[in-house]
C-alpha cells in the first residue's frame, strides 16, 4: 500500500476488500466465502474483476497509475476512476437503460464496483467480428447518445449548471491529453508509438504525414476537442465500450469523459461501425461471404444517426420552454425559426460527427491502438487491403465532410467504392 | 459590516482602511493624514475612488453585490473583483505597458487597489466624443490584444495549463450570464430592460425581434461565447474600458474575464470604434464637421485589426517550437503548411470578430446599456438617425460577415453607405 492508502489489488486482496466493504458484501448476498473471481481487463488501461458468489455478482474495476497495455513507462493518473464514476452516475441517471449501475466508489483505491453485465453480454466489437446482428443496437445507442448529450448541453442546462460541471471535468485533463496525442497528433507525425500493417501500408502512413490538407482539417477538429465544452461526452465511445445482447445495450468505460464536442462521441461510434464494415471482407469465408452482414452494418450506422437526430430534436422540442439557455423560447418563438435553428445545429453536428469519426478511423489504422476487427484478420496482406480501403474512405470524409448533408449520402458513397 | 467581514466603503471608512493596510499607506508615501479622495465610478457596476496624497496616489475599486447603475434590484456577485484581479495580474504580466499595476487585493472586501492613471488620461470613449486623435491607439491596442490572447491560448499554453485556467475562470459565470443576457438575448426579445430612441427606432427594435436570420446568427455566436474556451479574454473591451493619453493606452475593468472566444474582445473594441464613427455626425458643428475625424476612426479601426493580425501571427511564428499544443511543430513542419494554418485561423477569427462586433453594436442601440457616443447627442431625432445607420450596418455585418475577407473590405462597405 502506498502512503496515500492506494493498493493495487489482486484476486486475494480483492476478497479482503470485499469482506470489509458492506455495500459490496451485500450485493453478493453476503455469501463471500466461496467467491469466483476472474480478471478480464482486456481493454487497454485498467484491471477488471468479475466477482460471482452463489447469491449475487458484481464487477470491480481498478485504475492503476499507468496505461496497462503499455506498462509503467506510460504513467496515467488513476484519478480517471473518479471521472469515470462521475460520468457513469450522470449518464446512468439520464439513461439508466443503457448504463450499468455503480454500486460503490473508492477514490483512494481508484476502485469502482458496478453491475456485472452477465452473459450473454459480450463486447459489441467481438459480436461484430463474429458477424452477429443486433436488431436493437441503433435504437439503443441513439437513445443513449441523444439523452446523455442533450441533457448535459446548454439546450437543457442553465449556463450556471453547465459551467460548474465543465470546471469539474477540466480535472480529467490527463485523459484528454491522451486523446489529443493518439487521435489528433501521433498519426500525423513520426512517433515511436505509431504502427501499421507494414510493409503494405508504409506508403499510406507516410502519405498521411505529408498531407497538408488533412493536417489543416485535423487541427480544426483538435481545437474543437480542446476548446468546445458542448456536452458531457463519454470520450471513448467505440464498439469496445459497448456490451450487448440481442435485447440489451450497455455503455461502459467513460473514463475519458469531459465536456467536449458531441460529434466526438457520435463520430467514435459511427467511425467504429465503419471500421467493422471495412474489416468484414477479412472475415469472410466459404460459409459466410459477409455480404448480407455488411449491408446490416451500413443499415445500423444509418439508423443510428437518423434515430439519434430524431430523438435529439424530439427532446429539444419537448424542452423549448425549459431551463436550457442556448435558445430562449422568447427569442426562438415561432415554428419556422425553431425548425431552422434545429436544422442548422444538426447540420453542424453532422459534419463534426463525420470529421471526428474519420479521425478515429485513421488513428486505429496508423496510430498506437489498433482494433481487433482488423487485428483478427490473420492474412496480413488481406488485413492491409481492408485497412487501406478504410483509410482512403476516412481521408475522403475528413476532407470533404461538408459536402454531405445526410448519412444516406455517406452510405451511398461507401456503396460506390470499388471494394 | 456583514457576517463575512464585507463592508461597503465610503470616503471616511476608506481612509481607515488605508491606514490599516501597510501596502496602501506605502504607495501614498505614508502621507495619509490629508488624503484627497474622489469617487469617480462612472461605469455601470462599481465604486471607484481616486486617492491622492502629497507623496503618492492610487485607485481603489470596490464591487458591491449588485449592479450599480441598476441598483440592488439586480444582484451581482462581488466575487467579480477576484476575477478582475486575476485578469489584471495575468494580462499585466503579459502586457505590462497597457495594463495598470495591481497594488493590493482584498477578497473579503471585494476591493482592488491599483495604479492611478493620472491626467491627462481619460476614458477613450470621451476622447472619441471630443474628436481627439490618438496616433498610438491602434499600435497599443493591437499589442494588448495580440499578447493577452496569444499567450493564453493553446497556441502558447499546454492543454494542462489551459484546462486548469479554464476551470478557475468558470467561477466567473455570473458575469458571463450578464453578457449572455444583455448582448445575446435581450435585444432579440421583449425585455423590461431594453430601451431605444423612441419613437424613432420603434420599428427598428421590433424588426430585430422579428428577424429570423439575425436570430440564427446570434445563436451561433452565443453558443461560441458559452462553449468555446479559446483564450483568457477581457470580456468587456469597449472604448469605456480603455484610458488614453497621446502616449499611453491602458486597459482597465476586466471583471468579465473568462476563457472565451478571442473574437469577442477584438469585436468589442472594433464594434465600439464603429459606434463612435456612426455617432460623429451627431457631434459635428460649424467649427468641426468631423469629416476628417471620421476618416481617422476608420483608419484606426483598420490599423487595429491589421496590426493585431501581424503581431499575433508574428508571436505564433516565434513560438512554433514552444509549449503550445494546438499545432505541434513536428506535424506543422513546413512553411507552406504553417502559412495555410495561420491563414485559416485568422480568417475564422476575423469572422468571429465581425460577428461579435456587430452584436455589441446592436445591443448598445436597442438593449439595456447605451453608449455615451450616442447619448451625448442632444437632438433625439439626430441621435436616432445616427443610431439607425449604425444598426443597419451592424445587422448587415452580422448576417454577411463571412463574405468579408479583409478589414479593408469592411471599411469600404462603410464608406459606400449613403450617410
Amino acid at each position: 500500500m502506498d502512503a496515500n492508502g492506494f493498493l493495487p489489488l489482486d484476486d486475494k486482496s480483492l476478497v479482503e476488500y470485499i469482506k470489509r466493504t458492506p455495500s459490496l458484501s451485500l450485493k453478493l448476498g453476503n455469501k463471500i466465502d466461496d467467491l469466483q473471481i476472474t480478471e478480464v481487463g482486456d481493454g487497454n488501461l485498467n484491471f477488471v474483476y468479475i466477482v460471482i458468489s452463489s447469491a449475487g455478482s458484481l464487477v470491480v474495476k481498478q485504475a492503476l497509475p499507468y496505461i496497462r497495455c503499455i506498462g509503467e513507462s506510460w504513467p496515467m493518473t488513476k484519478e480517471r476512476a473518479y471521472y469515470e464514476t462521475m460520468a457513469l452516475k450522470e449518464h446512468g441517471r439520464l439513461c439508466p437503460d443503457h448504463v450499468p449501475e455503480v454500486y460503490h466508489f473508492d477514490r483512494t483505491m481508484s476502485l469502482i464496483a458496478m453491475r456485472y453485465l452477465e452473459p450473454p453480454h459480450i463486447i459489441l466489437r467481438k459480436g461484430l467480428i463474429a458477424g452477429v446482428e443486433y436488431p436493437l443496437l441503433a435504437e439503443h445507442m441513439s437513445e443513449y447518445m441523444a439523452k446523455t448529450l442533450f441533457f448535459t448541453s446548454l439546450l437543457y442546462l442553465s449556463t450556471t449548471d453547465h459551467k460548474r460541471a465543465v470546471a469539474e471535468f477540466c480535472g480529467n485533463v490527463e485523459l484528454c491529453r491522451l486523446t489529443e496525442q493518439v487521435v489528433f497528433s501521433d498519426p500525423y507525425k513520426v512517433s515511436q508509438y505509431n504502427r501499421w500493417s507494414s510493409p503494405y501500408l508504409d506508403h499510406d502512413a507516410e502519405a498521411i504525414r505529408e498531407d497538408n490538407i488533412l493536417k489543416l482539417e485535423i487541427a480544426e477538429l483538435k481545437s474543437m476537442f480542446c476548446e468546445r465544452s458542448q456536452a458531457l461526452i463519454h470520450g471513448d465511445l467505440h464498439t469496445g465500450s459497448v456490451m450487448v445482447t440481442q435485447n440489451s445495450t450497455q455503455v461502459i468505460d467513460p473514463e475519458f469523459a469531459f465536456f467536449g464536442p458531441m460529434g466526438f462521441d457520435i463520430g467514435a461510434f459511427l467511425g467504429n461501425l465503419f471500421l467493422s464494415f471495412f474489416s468484414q471482407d477479412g472475415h469472410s469465408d466459404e460459409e459466410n461471404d459477409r455480404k448480407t452482414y455488411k449491408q446490416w452494418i451500413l443499415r445500423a450506422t444509418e439508423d443510428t444517426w437518423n434515430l439519434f437526430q430524431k430523438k435529439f430534436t424530439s427532446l429539444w422540442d419537448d424542452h423549448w420552454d425549459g431551463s436550457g439557455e442556448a435558445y430562449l423560447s422568447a427569442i426562438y418563438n415561432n415554428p419556422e425559426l425553431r425548425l431552422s435553428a434545429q436544422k442548422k445545429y444538426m447540420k453542424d453536428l453532422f459534419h463534426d460527427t463525420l470529421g471526428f469519426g474519420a479521425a478515429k478511423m485513421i488513428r486505429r489504422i496508423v496510430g498506437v491502438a489498433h482494433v481487433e476487427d482488423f487485428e483478427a484478420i490473420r492474412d496480413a496482406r488481406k488485413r492491409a487491403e481492408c485497412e487501406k480501403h478504410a483509410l482512403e474512405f476516412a481521408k475522403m470524409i475528413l476532407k470533404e465532410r461538408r459536402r454531405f448533408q445526410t448519412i444516406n449520402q455517406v452510405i451511398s458513397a461507401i456503396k460506390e467504392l470499388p471494394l
Side-chain angles (χ1 to χ4, degrees), chain A residues 230-364:
Chain A
Q230 195 178 16
L232 177 59
I233 65 173
H234 177 285
D236 196 26
L237 194 56
H238 55 77
T239 50
S241 294
V242 181
M243 293 195 74
V244 286
T245 68
Q246 288 295 305
N247 307 309
S248 165
T249 306
Q250 303 292 325
V251 177
I252 59 172
D253 290 353
E255 61 210 302
F256 286 83
F258 77 115
F259 274 77
M262 296 177 182
F264 191 77
D265 267 8
I266 314 167
F269 188 68
L270 300 191
N272 274 267
L273 288 182
F274 285 136
L275 288 177
S276 171
F277 171 85
F278 285 104
S279 76
Q280 292 299 325
D281 287 350
H283 300 297
S284 68
D285 52 30
E286 286 170 7
E287 278 180 31
N288 186 345
D289 65 7
R290 299 278 179 136
K291 279 188 180 157
T292 309
Y293 193 59
K294 283 167 72 176
Q295 295 308 310
W296 177 80
I297 295 176
L298 294 184
R299 245 184 357 262
T301 310
E302 192 174 341
D303 289 349
T304 300
W305 171 263
N306 285 334
L307 287 168
F308 167 79
Q309 178 160 266
K310 191 175 150 199
K311 291 171 194 220
F312 189 90
T313 51
S314 169
L315 288 172
W316 192 344
D317 285 336
D318 293 343
H319 291 84
W320 276 109
D321 296 309
S323 48
E325 297 195 301
Y327 295 81
L328 300 182
S329 63
I331 301 174
Y332 301 89
N333 54 0
N334 64 74
E336 183 196 346
L337 177 57
R338 290 183 175 188
L339 193 62
S340 301
Q342 289 182 337
K343 277 191 176 165
K344 189 163 187 278
Y345 194 100
M346 297 315 287
K347 190 189 84 180
D348 290 342
L349 182 51
F350 184 59
H351 291 155
D352 296 350
T353 295
L354 292 181
F356 286 121
K360 299 280 265 183
M361 292 176 71
I362 292 169
R363 75 97 156 196
R364 292 295 193 179

Side-chain angles (χ1 to χ4, degrees), chain A residues 153-207:
Chain A
S153 78
L154 285 166
L155 298 175
Y156 179 78
L157 294 180
S158 72
T159 52
T160 305
D161 290 343
H162 181 258
K163 273 219 169 22
R164 189 185 304 125
V166 168
E168 166 86 22
F169 278 91
C170 279
N172 205 19
V173 59
E174 271 200 50
L175 278 281
C176 291
R177 286 172 66 86
L178 181 54
T179 300
E180 289 160 26
Q181 178 179 345
V182 301
V183 177
F184 299 105
S185 296
D186 280 357
Y188 305 90
K189 69 187 191 52
V190 174
S191 162
Q192 56 171 313
Y193 300 109
N194 289 342
R195 61 187 183 83
W196 54 83
S197 295
S198 185
Y200 310 104
L201 296 188
D202 286 0
H203 171 71
D204 303 82
E206 190 187 0

Side-chain angles (χ1 to χ4, degrees), chain A residues 28-218:
Chain A
L28 297 165
N30 288 316
K31 306 277 188 189
I32 49 181
D33 289 330
D34 197 24
L35 294 177
Q36 185 190 325
I37 296 184
T38 323
E39 208 283 313
V40 294
D42 65 346
N44 296 321
L45 270 67
N46 306 292
F47 287 80
V48 179
Y49 302 88
I50 296 171
V51 183
I52 298 180
S53 78
S54 57
S57 65
L58 50 80
V59 156
V60 170
K61 180 171 177 180
Q62 186 176 38
L64 266 58
Y66 53 84
I67 297 179
R68 183 180 184 179
C69 68
I70 308 262
E72 300 192 28
S73 65
W74 194 332
M76 183 54 54
T77 175
K78 56 190 170 56
E79 271 292 272
R80 62 186 187 262
Y82 170 74
Y83 296 101
E84 176 169 355
T85 304
M86 294 296 103
L88 281 171
K89 286 186 174 174
E90 180 63 7
H91 286 170
R93 190 177 68 79
L94 298 170
C95 188
D97 287 350
H98 303 300
V99 180
E101 187 188 347
V102 173
Y103 300 148
H104 168 81
F105 174 60
D106 181 336
R107 194 161 181 175
T108 304
M109 289 286 280
S110 303
L111 180 153
I112 312 169
M114 66 184 97
R115 175 186 163 198
Y116 168 48
L117 297 167
E118 68 293 342
H121 277 103
I122 61 168
I123 293 288
L124 171 59
R125 193 187 298 285
K126 291 182 190 290
L128 296 171
I129 293 168
V132 182
E133 295 186 12
Y134 294 95
L136 297 175
L137 183 66
E139 190 71 45
H140 288 172
M141 287 303 296
S142 60
E143 180 91 2
Y144 167 82
M145 294 191 295
K147 286 184 172 170
T148 58
L149 298 177
F150 178 83
F151 287 113
T152 59
S153 78
L154 285 166
L155 298 175
Y156 179 78
L157 294 180
S158 72
T159 52
T160 305
D161 290 343
H162 181 258
K163 273 219 169 22
R164 189 185 304 125
V166 168
E168 166 86 22
F169 278 91
C170 279
N172 205 19
V173 59
E174 271 200 50
L175 278 281
C176 291
R177 286 172 66 86
L178 181 54
T179 300
E180 289 160 26
Q181 178 179 345
V182 301
V183 177
F184 299 105
S185 296
D186 280 357
Y188 305 90
K189 69 187 191 52
V190 174
S191 162
Q192 56 171 313
Y193 300 109
N194 289 342
R195 61 187 183 83
W196 54 83
S197 295
S198 185
Y200 310 104
L201 296 188
D202 286 0
H203 171 71
D204 303 82
E206 190 187 0
I208 286 176
R209 294 195 302 269
E210 290 176 358
D211 189 330
N212 283 1
I213 307 290
L214 211 57
K215 288 178 176 184
L216 292 176
E217 294 294 347
I218 203 72

